[in-house]
Amino acid sequence: MQETIYSVSEAVGILELQSHVLRYWEEEMKLPIKRNELGHRYYTRWDIQVFLSIKELKKKGYSLKEIGKLAELFYQKQEKESRISPEFMEIISKLVKAQLKEKKTGEDRYKKLDERIRNYQQSRREVAAALEKKNSKKKGIFSRR
């Protein structure tokens, strides 16, 4: 079975990070990221999962040095077992669900803001129309005399 691999740009899209952040994390934590025959980095599903874990731990306030020790354990475990442990998959699953929920919450927030903006614009148009109508009535009264 062929392993799924991701280019740097694909990984950046999945992880919602910039490529220089990935390079920095790789160098600081000495992650064993593979390269193709041209020397370009590529990532496996396992690498993506490790990066997701790192990202989440960073959000929780852990330093790269602390996280680096865990990353080493993730890769040691991968070498011992060719499959991903259920515990690790459960953690990753929770992280991905939380990330999707956070993204949805953000989208909902923007939708509510858009709705409020539309309501304010509509109110503004109504007030402007009422003022225009009021001003035209006043002009009509004064022009009759």
mmCIF file of all heavy atoms in Angstrom, residues 16-49:
data_model
loop_
_atom_site.group_PDB
_atom_site.id
_atom_site.type_symbol
_atom_site.label_atom_id
_atom_site.label_comp_id
_atom_site.label_asym_id
_atom_site.label_seq_id
_atom_site.Cartn_x
_atom_site.Cartn_y
_atom_site.Cartn_z
ATOM 1 N N GLU A 16 -2.932 25.097 8.224
ATOM 2 C CA GLU A 16 -3.185 26.532 8.379
ATOM 3 C C GLU A 16 -2.013 27.215 9.080
ATOM 4 O O GLU A 16 -2.176 27.954 10.044
ATOM 5 C CB GLU A 16 -4.492 26.773 9.126
ATOM 6 C CG GLU A 16 -5.708 26.268 8.383
ATOM 7 C CD GLU A 16 -7.000 26.480 9.120
ATOM 8 O OE1 GLU A 16 -6.985 26.747 10.337
ATOM 9 O OE2 GLU A 16 -8.051 26.371 8.472
ATOM 10 N N LEU A 17 -0.832 26.916 8.597
ATOM 11 C CA LEU A 17 0.409 27.525 9.078
ATOM 12 C C LEU A 17 1.181 28.032 7.871
ATOM 13 O O LEU A 17 0.895 27.644 6.743
ATOM 14 C CB LEU A 17 1.276 26.484 9.808
ATOM 15 C CG LEU A 17 0.740 25.914 11.110
ATOM 16 C CD1 LEU A 17 1.592 24.733 11.549
ATOM 17 C CD2 LEU A 17 0.725 26.975 12.199
ATOM 18 N N GLN A 18 2.173 28.849 8.123
ATOM 19 C CA GLN A 18 3.029 29.292 7.028
ATOM 20 C C GLN A 18 4.205 28.331 6.907
ATOM 21 O O GLN A 18 4.599 27.685 7.884
ATOM 22 C CB GLN A 18 3.502 30.716 7.278
ATOM 23 C CG GLN A 18 2.353 31.705 7.239
ATOM 24 C CD GLN A 18 2.806 33.126 7.421
ATOM 25 O OE1 GLN A 18 3.980 33.400 7.630
ATOM 26 N NE2 GLN A 18 1.867 34.046 7.343
ATOM 27 N N SER A 19 4.770 28.242 5.722
ATOM 28 C CA SER A 19 5.830 27.263 5.473
ATOM 29 C C SER A 19 7.061 27.521 6.345
ATOM 30 O O SER A 19 7.715 26.572 6.780
ATOM 31 C CB SER A 19 6.217 27.244 3.999
ATOM 32 O OG SER A 19 6.685 28.512 3.598
ATOM 33 N N HIS A 20 7.346 28.784 6.642
ATOM 34 C CA HIS A 20 8.522 29.053 7.474
ATOM 35 C C HIS A 20 8.325 28.531 8.895
ATOM 36 O O HIS A 20 9.288 28.159 9.562
ATOM 37 C CB HIS A 20 8.887 30.549 7.469
ATOM 38 C CG HIS A 20 7.899 31.433 8.163
ATOM 39 N ND1 HIS A 20 7.972 31.703 9.496
ATOM 40 C CD2 HIS A 20 6.822 32.097 7.690
ATOM 41 C CE1 HIS A 20 6.985 32.519 9.836
ATOM 42 N NE2 HIS A 20 6.270 32.765 8.748
ATOM 43 N N VAL A 21 7.075 28.454 9.345
ATOM 44 C CA VAL A 21 6.793 27.900 10.672
ATOM 45 C C VAL A 21 7.099 26.406 10.670
ATOM 46 O O VAL A 21 7.727 25.899 11.598
ATOM 47 C CB VAL A 21 5.331 28.154 11.093
ATOM 48 C CG1 VAL A 21 4.992 27.450 12.391
ATOM 49 C CG2 VAL A 21 5.060 29.653 11.200
ATOM 50 N N LEU A 22 6.699 25.703 9.612
ATOM 51 C CA LEU A 22 6.997 24.270 9.506
ATOM 52 C C LEU A 22 8.507 24.032 9.508
ATOM 53 O O LEU A 22 9.002 23.148 10.218
ATOM 54 C CB LEU A 22 6.386 23.680 8.234
ATOM 55 C CG LEU A 22 4.871 23.611 8.159
ATOM 56 C CD1 LEU A 22 4.444 22.994 6.835
ATOM 57 C CD2 LEU A 22 4.298 22.841 9.306
ATOM 58 N N ARG A 23 9.227 24.827 8.719
ATOM 59 C CA ARG A 23 10.692 24.668 8.662
ATOM 60 C C ARG A 23 11.318 24.918 10.029
ATOM 61 O O ARG A 23 12.197 24.174 10.467
ATOM 62 C CB ARG A 23 11.297 25.633 7.632
ATOM 63 C CG ARG A 23 11.158 25.187 6.208
ATOM 64 C CD ARG A 23 12.038 26.003 5.260
ATOM 65 N NE ARG A 23 11.846 27.436 5.389
ATOM 66 C CZ ARG A 23 10.929 28.144 4.738
ATOM 67 N NH1 ARG A 23 10.102 27.539 3.904
ATOM 68 N NH2 ARG A 23 10.829 29.446 4.898
ATOM 69 N N TYR A 24 10.831 25.956 10.703
ATOM 70 C CA TYR A 24 11.377 26.292 12.016
ATOM 71 C C TYR A 24 11.130 25.157 12.996
ATOM 72 O O TYR A 24 12.042 24.735 13.717
ATOM 73 C CB TYR A 24 10.743 27.594 12.527
ATOM 74 C CG TYR A 24 11.234 28.010 13.881
ATOM 75 C CD1 TYR A 24 12.525 28.498 14.055
ATOM 76 C CD2 TYR A 24 10.414 27.902 14.995
ATOM 77 C CE1 TYR A 24 12.990 28.871 15.305
ATOM 78 C CE2 TYR A 24 10.861 28.276 16.247
ATOM 79 C CZ TYR A 24 12.152 28.766 16.398
ATOM 80 O OH TYR A 24 12.600 29.122 17.640
ATOM 81 N N TRP A 25 9.909 24.640 13.029
ATOM 82 C CA TRP A 25 9.601 23.536 13.933
ATOM 83 C C TRP A 25 10.444 22.309 13.606
ATOM 84 O O TRP A 25 10.932 21.623 14.493
ATOM 85 C CB TRP A 25 8.118 23.186 13.863
ATOM 86 C CG TRP A 25 7.217 24.196 14.519
ATOM 87 C CD1 TRP A 25 7.596 25.329 15.182
ATOM 88 C CD2 TRP A 25 5.799 24.176 14.555
ATOM 89 N NE1 TRP A 25 6.494 26.005 15.630
ATOM 90 C CE2 TRP A 25 5.366 25.322 15.251
ATOM 91 C CE3 TRP A 25 4.841 23.311 14.050
ATOM 92 C CZ2 TRP A 25 4.026 25.599 15.478
ATOM 93 C CZ3 TRP A 25 3.504 23.594 14.271
ATOM 94 C CH2 TRP A 25 3.103 24.726 14.978
ATOM 95 N N GLU A 26 10.614 22.027 12.311
ATOM 96 C CA GLU A 26 11.432 20.879 11.902
ATOM 97 C C GLU A 26 12.855 21.007 12.436
ATOM 98 O O GLU A 26 13.421 20.054 12.961
ATOM 99 C CB GLU A 26 11.482 20.778 10.381
ATOM 100 C CG GLU A 26 10.187 20.369 9.731
ATOM 101 C CD GLU A 26 10.242 20.516 8.219
ATOM 102 O OE1 GLU A 26 11.343 20.445 7.637
ATOM 103 O OE2 GLU A 26 9.168 20.711 7.624
ATOM 104 N N GLU A 27 13.421 22.203 12.256
ATOM 105 C CA GLU A 27 14.803 22.425 12.682
ATOM 106 C C GLU A 27 14.936 22.419 14.197
ATOM 107 O O GLU A 27 15.838 21.775 14.737
ATOM 108 C CB GLU A 27 15.316 23.757 12.120
ATOM 109 C CG GLU A 27 15.490 23.738 10.618
ATOM 110 C CD GLU A 27 15.767 25.125 10.043
ATOM 111 O OE1 GLU A 27 16.042 26.065 10.824
ATOM 112 O OE2 GLU A 27 15.700 25.262 8.807
ATOM 113 N N GLU A 28 14.054 23.122 14.891
ATOM 114 C CA GLU A 28 14.138 23.236 16.347
ATOM 115 C C GLU A 28 13.936 21.896 17.043
ATOM 116 O O GLU A 28 14.591 21.613 18.037
ATOM 117 C CB GLU A 28 13.096 24.243 16.867
ATOM 118 C CG GLU A 28 13.473 25.670 16.639
ATOM 119 C CD GLU A 28 14.740 26.082 17.371
ATOM 120 O OE1 GLU A 28 14.835 25.861 18.592
ATOM 121 O OE2 GLU A 28 15.636 26.620 16.697
ATOM 122 N N MET A 29 13.021 21.091 16.530
ATOM 123 C CA MET A 29 12.699 19.812 17.175
ATOM 124 C C MET A 29 13.373 18.627 16.497
ATOM 125 O O MET A 29 13.122 17.498 16.873
ATOM 126 C CB MET A 29 11.183 19.635 17.213
ATOM 127 C CG MET A 29 10.520 20.649 18.125
ATOM 128 S SD MET A 29 8.768 20.397 18.286
ATOM 129 C CE MET A 29 8.184 21.438 16.968
ATOM 130 N N LYS A 30 14.179 18.934 15.496
ATOM 131 C CA LYS A 30 14.909 17.889 14.764
ATOM 132 C C LYS A 30 13.974 16.757 14.314
ATOM 133 O O LYS A 30 14.231 15.579 14.542
ATOM 134 C CB LYS A 30 16.060 17.358 15.610
ATOM 135 C CG LYS A 30 17.082 18.435 15.926
ATOM 136 C CD LYS A 30 18.150 17.921 16.861
ATOM 137 C CE LYS A 30 19.191 18.941 17.179
ATOM 138 N NZ LYS A 30 18.759 20.200 17.720
ATOM 139 N N LEU A 31 12.896 17.165 13.650
ATOM 140 C CA LEU A 31 11.915 16.192 13.168
ATOM 141 C C LEU A 31 12.450 15.486 11.923
ATOM 142 O O LEU A 31 13.041 16.128 11.060
ATOM 143 C CB LEU A 31 10.591 16.889 12.843
ATOM 144 C CG LEU A 31 9.911 17.621 14.003
ATOM 145 C CD1 LEU A 31 8.653 18.324 13.509
ATOM 146 C CD2 LEU A 31 9.582 16.679 15.129
ATOM 147 N N PRO A 32 12.228 14.191 11.815
ATOM 148 C CA PRO A 32 12.739 13.435 10.654
ATOM 149 C C PRO A 32 11.829 13.554 9.432
ATOM 150 O O PRO A 32 11.177 12.595 9.033
ATOM 151 C CB PRO A 32 12.772 11.997 11.189
ATOM 152 C CG PRO A 32 11.662 11.960 12.195
ATOM 153 C CD PRO A 32 11.616 13.328 12.816
ATOM 154 N N ILE A 33 11.811 14.730 8.837
ATOM 155 C CA ILE A 33 10.987 14.955 7.647
ATOM 156 C C ILE A 33 11.751 14.451 6.427
ATOM 157 O O ILE A 33 12.930 14.754 6.245
ATOM 158 C CB ILE A 33 10.646 16.450 7.496
ATOM 159 C CG1 ILE A 33 9.923 16.970 8.750
ATOM 160 C CG2 ILE A 33 9.821 16.702 6.246
ATOM 161 C CD1 ILE A 33 8.633 16.253 9.096
ATOM 162 N N LYS A 34 11.051 13.703 5.602
ATOM 163 C CA LYS A 34 11.691 13.088 4.430
ATOM 164 C C LYS A 34 11.773 14.064 3.270
ATOM 165 O O LYS A 34 11.055 15.051 3.213
ATOM 166 C CB LYS A 34 10.898 11.849 4.032
ATOM 167 C CG LYS A 34 10.891 10.789 5.122
ATOM 168 C CD LYS A 34 9.982 9.661 4.763
ATOM 169 C CE LYS A 34 9.937 8.688 5.932
ATOM 170 N NZ LYS A 34 8.716 7.946 6.009
ATOM 171 N N ARG A 35 12.664 13.745 2.338
ATOM 172 C CA ARG A 35 12.836 14.557 1.119
ATOM 173 C C ARG A 35 12.764 13.632 -0.092
ATOM 174 O O ARG A 35 13.132 12.468 -0.021
ATOM 175 C CB ARG A 35 14.168 15.281 1.153
ATOM 176 C CG ARG A 35 14.202 16.335 2.269
ATOM 177 C CD ARG A 35 15.496 17.122 2.233
ATOM 178 N NE ARG A 35 15.503 18.136 3.245
ATOM 179 C CZ ARG A 35 15.177 19.413 3.043
ATOM 180 N NH1 ARG A 35 14.831 19.825 1.853
ATOM 181 N NH2 ARG A 35 15.205 20.282 4.021
ATOM 182 N N ASN A 36 12.307 14.206 -1.192
ATOM 183 C CA ASN A 36 12.251 13.414 -2.427
ATOM 184 C C ASN A 36 13.608 13.445 -3.126
ATOM 185 O O ASN A 36 14.564 14.025 -2.613
ATOM 186 C CB ASN A 36 11.109 13.900 -3.338
ATOM 187 C CG ASN A 36 11.323 15.314 -3.842
ATOM 188 O OD1 ASN A 36 12.420 15.874 -3.767
ATOM 189 N ND2 ASN A 36 10.256 15.895 -4.370
ATOM 190 N N GLU A 37 13.683 12.857 -4.311
ATOM 191 C CA GLU A 37 14.961 12.771 -5.030
ATOM 192 C C GLU A 37 15.512 14.134 -5.449
ATOM 193 O O GLU A 37 16.707 14.285 -5.676
ATOM 194 C CB GLU A 37 14.843 11.849 -6.255
ATOM 195 C CG GLU A 37 13.794 12.254 -7.272
ATOM 196 C CD GLU A 37 12.377 11.815 -6.926
ATOM 197 O OE1 GLU A 37 12.191 11.058 -5.961
ATOM 198 O OE2 GLU A 37 11.442 12.257 -7.622
ATOM 199 N N LEU A 38 14.643 15.147 -5.512
ATOM 200 C CA LEU A 38 15.093 16.499 -5.846
ATOM 201 C C LEU A 38 15.489 17.305 -4.604
ATOM 202 O O LEU A 38 15.915 18.443 -4.719
ATOM 203 C CB LEU A 38 13.995 17.254 -6.605
ATOM 204 C CG LEU A 38 13.595 16.676 -7.959
ATOM 205 C CD1 LEU A 38 12.405 17.417 -8.530
ATOM 206 C CD2 LEU A 38 14.773 16.704 -8.914
ATOM 207 N N GLY A 39 15.311 16.701 -3.444
ATOM 208 C CA GLY A 39 15.666 17.382 -2.195
ATOM 209 C C GLY A 39 14.533 18.198 -1.596
ATOM 210 O O GLY A 39 14.726 18.889 -0.601
ATOM 211 N N HIS A 40 13.334 18.122 -2.185
ATOM 212 C CA HIS A 40 12.181 18.856 -1.654
ATOM 213 C C HIS A 40 11.562 18.074 -0.498
ATOM 214 O O HIS A 40 11.438 16.849 -0.561
ATOM 215 C CB HIS A 40 11.122 19.086 -2.727
ATOM 216 C CG HIS A 40 11.627 19.895 -3.872
ATOM 217 N ND1 HIS A 40 11.266 19.647 -5.168
ATOM 218 C CD2 HIS A 40 12.475 20.956 -3.923
ATOM 219 C CE1 HIS A 40 11.859 20.512 -5.961
ATOM 220 N NE2 HIS A 40 12.601 21.311 -5.225
ATOM 221 N N ARG A 41 11.155 18.819 0.514
ATOM 222 C CA ARG A 41 10.508 18.178 1.661
ATOM 223 C C ARG A 41 9.116 17.690 1.262
ATOM 224 O O ARG A 41 8.449 18.300 0.443
ATOM 225 C CB ARG A 41 10.364 19.182 2.815
ATOM 226 C CG ARG A 41 11.663 19.653 3.353
ATOM 227 C CD ARG A 41 11.488 20.580 4.548
ATOM 228 N NE ARG A 41 10.289 21.371 4.498
ATOM 229 C CZ ARG A 41 10.245 22.669 4.278
ATOM 230 N NH1 ARG A 41 11.334 23.346 4.084
ATOM 231 N NH2 ARG A 41 9.104 23.318 4.270
ATOM 232 N N TYR A 42 8.708 16.589 1.878
ATOM 233 C CA TYR A 42 7.325 16.139 1.733
ATOM 234 C C TYR A 42 6.899 15.546 3.065
ATOM 235 O O TYR A 42 7.719 15.180 3.899
ATOM 236 C CB TYR A 42 7.150 15.135 0.582
ATOM 237 C CG TYR A 42 7.806 13.797 0.793
ATOM 238 C CD1 TYR A 42 7.126 12.755 1.427
ATOM 239 C CD2 TYR A 42 9.093 13.553 0.337
ATOM 240 C CE1 TYR A 42 7.721 11.517 1.608
ATOM 241 C CE2 TYR A 42 9.692 12.315 0.512
ATOM 242 C CZ TYR A 42 9.008 11.300 1.151
ATOM 243 O OH TYR A 42 9.605 10.091 1.339
ATOM 244 N N TYR A 43 5.597 15.509 3.275
ATOM 245 C CA TYR A 43 5.053 15.093 4.560
ATOM 246 C C TYR A 43 4.125 13.898 4.393
ATOM 247 O O TYR A 43 3.411 13.793 3.406
ATOM 248 C CB TYR A 43 4.276 16.252 5.195
ATOM 249 C CG TYR A 43 5.125 17.480 5.369
ATOM 250 C CD1 TYR A 43 5.088 18.508 4.438
ATOM 251 C CD2 TYR A 43 5.987 17.599 6.443
ATOM 252 C CE1 TYR A 43 5.885 19.634 4.578
ATOM 253 C CE2 TYR A 43 6.789 18.715 6.601
ATOM 254 C CZ TYR A 43 6.731 19.727 5.659
ATOM 255 O OH TYR A 43 7.528 20.834 5.807
ATOM 256 N N THR A 44 4.143 13.038 5.388
ATOM 257 C CA THR A 44 3.244 11.891 5.425
ATOM 258 C C THR A 44 2.056 12.235 6.315
ATOM 259 O O THR A 44 2.049 13.273 6.979
ATOM 260 C CB THR A 44 3.967 10.655 6.006
ATOM 261 O OG1 THR A 44 4.344 10.949 7.355
ATOM 262 C CG2 THR A 44 5.191 10.294 5.183
ATOM 263 N N ARG A 45 1.076 11.351 6.339
ATOM 264 C CA ARG A 45 -0.069 11.548 7.250
ATOM 265 C C ARG A 45 0.426 11.659 8.681
ATOM 266 O O ARG A 45 -0.076 12.453 9.465
ATOM 267 C CB ARG A 45 -1.042 10.370 7.149
ATOM 268 C CG ARG A 45 -2.067 10.526 6.085
ATOM 269 C CD ARG A 45 -3.120 9.444 6.118
ATOM 270 N NE ARG A 45 -3.708 9.315 7.435
ATOM 271 C CZ ARG A 45 -4.294 8.226 7.890
ATOM 272 N NH1 ARG A 45 -4.365 7.149 7.129
ATOM 273 N NH2 ARG A 45 -4.817 8.173 9.085
ATOM 274 N N TRP A 46 1.399 10.847 9.003
ATOM 275 C CA TRP A 46 1.947 10.856 10.363
ATOM 276 C C TRP A 46 2.544 12.235 10.678
ATOM 277 O O TRP A 46 2.305 12.785 11.755
ATOM 278 C CB TRP A 46 3.015 9.772 10.498
ATOM 279 C CG TRP A 46 3.520 9.648 11.903
ATOM 280 C CD1 TRP A 46 4.551 10.324 12.469
ATOM 281 C CD2 TRP A 46 2.981 8.827 12.920
ATOM 282 N NE1 TRP A 46 4.706 9.969 13.776
ATOM 283 C CE2 TRP A 46 3.744 9.046 14.077
ATOM 284 C CE3 TRP A 46 1.924 7.920 12.969
ATOM 285 C CZ2 TRP A 46 3.492 8.394 15.282
ATOM 286 C CZ3 TRP A 46 1.684 7.265 14.169
ATOM 287 C CH2 TRP A 46 2.456 7.505 15.305
ATOM 288 N N ASP A 47 3.310 12.786 9.745
ATOM 289 C CA ASP A 47 3.910 14.114 9.950
ATOM 290 C C ASP A 47 2.824 15.163 10.186
ATOM 291 O O ASP A 47 2.951 16.011 11.077
ATOM 292 C CB ASP A 47 4.754 14.526 8.740
ATOM 293 C CG ASP A 47 5.945 13.613 8.510
ATOM 294 O OD1 ASP A 47 6.541 13.127 9.493
ATOM 295 O OD2 ASP A 47 6.278 13.392 7.325
ATOM 296 N N ILE A 48 1.769 15.105 9.383
ATOM 297 C CA ILE A 48 0.666 16.064 9.513
ATOM 298 C C ILE A 48 0.044 15.951 10.900
ATOM 299 O O ILE A 48 -0.232 16.956 11.566
ATOM 300 C CB ILE A 48 -0.403 15.844 8.412
ATOM 301 C CG1 ILE A 48 0.188 16.038 7.015
ATOM 302 C CG2 ILE A 48 -1.626 16.725 8.645
ATOM 303 C CD1 ILE A 48 0.639 17.452 6.697
ATOM 304 N N GLN A 49 -0.150 14.730 11.363
ATOM 305 C CA GLN A 49 -0.739 14.524 12.680
ATOM 306 C C GLN A 49 0.177 15.050 13.784
ATOM 307 O O GLN A 49 -0.287 15.660 14.744
ATOM 308 C CB GLN A 49 -1.048 13.040 12.887
ATOM 309 C CG GLN A 49 -2.177 12.580 11.997
ATOM 310 C CD GLN A 49 -2.318 11.076 11.956
ATOM 311 O OE1 GLN A 49 -1.388 10.348 12.275
ATOM 312 N NE2 GLN A 49 -3.487 10.614 11.566
#
